[in-house]
Amino acid sequence: MATSKQLTISVFSGAGMSAESGISTFRDSNGLWENYRIEEVATPQAWAKDPDLVTAFYNARRKNVLAAEPNEAHQAIAALESFADVQVITQNIDDLHERAGSSNILHLHGQIRMAKSSGPNQEKAYYPIEGWELTEKDLCPDGYRLRPHVVWFGEAVPAYEDAAMMLSKSDVLIVIGTSLQVYPAAGLIHFAEKARTKFIIDPKADELDVPTSFEKVNTMASEGMQQIMEWLKKR
Ligand SMILES: NC(=O)c1ccc[n+]([C@@H]2O[C@H](COP(=O)([O-])OP(=O)(O)OC[C@H]3O[C@@H](n4cnc5c(N)ncnc54)[C@H](O)[C@@H]3O)[C@@H](O)[C@H]2O)c1
């Protein structure tokens, strides 16, 4: 039976969350965008032009995710559930929050280990991908080619309203490893109006544009989560 705890914590994570697990971020030097152009691999137009290139790009990402392990920050977030109701809202398409043991995870931008139809009924069904490879032979029941279940630039974010609702109920907000440059996701932090305490953990936290109500933790995710765990234990 689900039990309700007194404290509600929301975690809002981005690519930096998984950096210590060996998964590249998008915007750091040597991040993914250094080597690819967004329009070539992460837009509906890219799929229309060259589905094989897009599929190969995400196959490589999936291979990387399968080889990665959750890091100490993912584990610390899962451990918060011993004393709080925790909702993880992630921009990440990897499954490292799941593998660390978090129970409530909302993937704003999809999940790389799932596929969906490239036809008109894209959000009707999601299909788990066995292993790392999606190929041109993988089709949905309507005969359309399967594409990664990832929200591309220019596409709607169907989970946005659910995420906003969850954030509006949180007492504590922990934002980790996001440059807050991808919209509409980045705007979600403003829904946490009720949260008494808000942290942002990022080695570049000082440079990030967040309201003054945020406490900036200028560290990598694992060290920052350790500091926040200590802070929470004292309260
Ligand atoms: N792991 C993944 O699933 C993955 C990886 C790359 C990109 N993406 C997607 O890319 C989009 C990019 O936006 P974004 O804001 O998430 O990423 P981003 O690349 O724009 O920003 C990453 C942020 O993480 C910080 N960072 C780097 N190393 C860190 C560490 N060890 N600990 C904490 N923070 C660290 C950087 O300073 C930066 O501010 C998202 O929509 C996301 O879906 C996902």
Side-chain angles (χ1 to χ4, degrees):
M1 192 174 71
T3 55
S4 184
K5 303 188 177 85
Q6 281 186 344
L7 186 68
T8 301
I9 301 178
S10 291
V11 175
F12 180 53
S13 65
M17 177 83 223
S18 299
E20 289 167 83
S21 295
I23 300 179
S24 301
T25 62
F26 272 18
R27 285 183 188 74
D28 290 311
S29 59
N30 209 26
L32 288 170
W33 292 147
E34 297 273 301
N35 306 316
Y36 296 89
R37 293 175 58 224
I38 294 175
E39 316 84 61
E40 282 169 5
V41 289
T43 61
Q45 294 76 11
W47 176 265
K49 185 176 166 216
D50 192 346
D52 291 338
L53 176 73
V54 173
T55 300
F57 173 78
Y58 283 100
N59 281 348
R61 307 277 75 75
R62 196 174 300 108
K63 214 180 216 178
N64 191 199
V65 166
L66 287 170
E69 296 292 338
N71 61 52
E72 286 173 18
H74 293 105
Q75 280 152 3
I77 290 164
L80 295 174
E81 293 185 21
S82 64
F83 60 88
D85 283 326
V86 183
Q87 177 67 53
V88 177
I89 296 161
T90 186
Q91 299 169 79
N92 293 345
I93 54 177
D94 66 52
D95 62 348
L96 298 184
H97 282 297
E98 280 88 346
R99 284 198 263 146
S102 283
S103 315
N104 306 311
I105 304 160
L106 185 148
H107 282 273
L108 273 178
H109 293 160
Q111 292 175 262
I112 196 163
R113 295 185 67 184
M114 307 285 281
K116 63 183 181 183
S117 172
S118 58
N121 293 316
Q122 298 199 347
E123 309 302 336
K124 202 172 77 175
Y126 305 110
Y127 307 92
I129 301 170
E130 292 299 325
W132 62 273
E133 196 177 20
L134 194 62
T135 75
E136 74 281 2
K137 297 195 183 89
D138 296 313
L139 307 177
C140 76
D142 297 334
Y144 293 97
R145 186 165 167 175
L146 290 182
R147 57 164 270 189
H149 170 27
V150 168
V151 174
W152 286 326
F153 290 93
E155 292 188 317
V157 180
Y160 188 83
E161 285 185 8
D162 285 348
M165 176 65 76
M166 288 162 186
L167 285 163
S168 72
K169 293 179 182 162
S170 52
D171 302 311
V172 175
L173 171 63
I174 307 173
V175 177
I176 309 186
T178 171
S179 62
L180 296 172
Q181 286 185 38
V182 174
Y183 279 83
L188 279 168
I189 60 167
H190 302 292
F191 285 91
E193 287 176 340
K194 174 173 161 264
R196 291 187 304 266
T197 315
K198 298 172 197 166
F199 296 101
I200 181 157
I201 306 174
D202 194 302
K204 293 183 186 160
D206 276 340
E207 297 166 27
L208 298 177
D209 185 19
V210 288
T212 50
S213 52
F214 274 79
E215 188 160 326
K216 293 181 170 180
V217 183
N218 282 283
T219 66
M220 299 213 288
S222 57
E223 193 187 327
M225 273 312 297
Q226 212 174 346
Q227 288 180 22
I228 288 174
M229 290 298 263
E230 293 301 320
W231 180 87
L232 285 165
K233 273 183 209 156
K234 285 187 196 140
R235 275 155 182 84

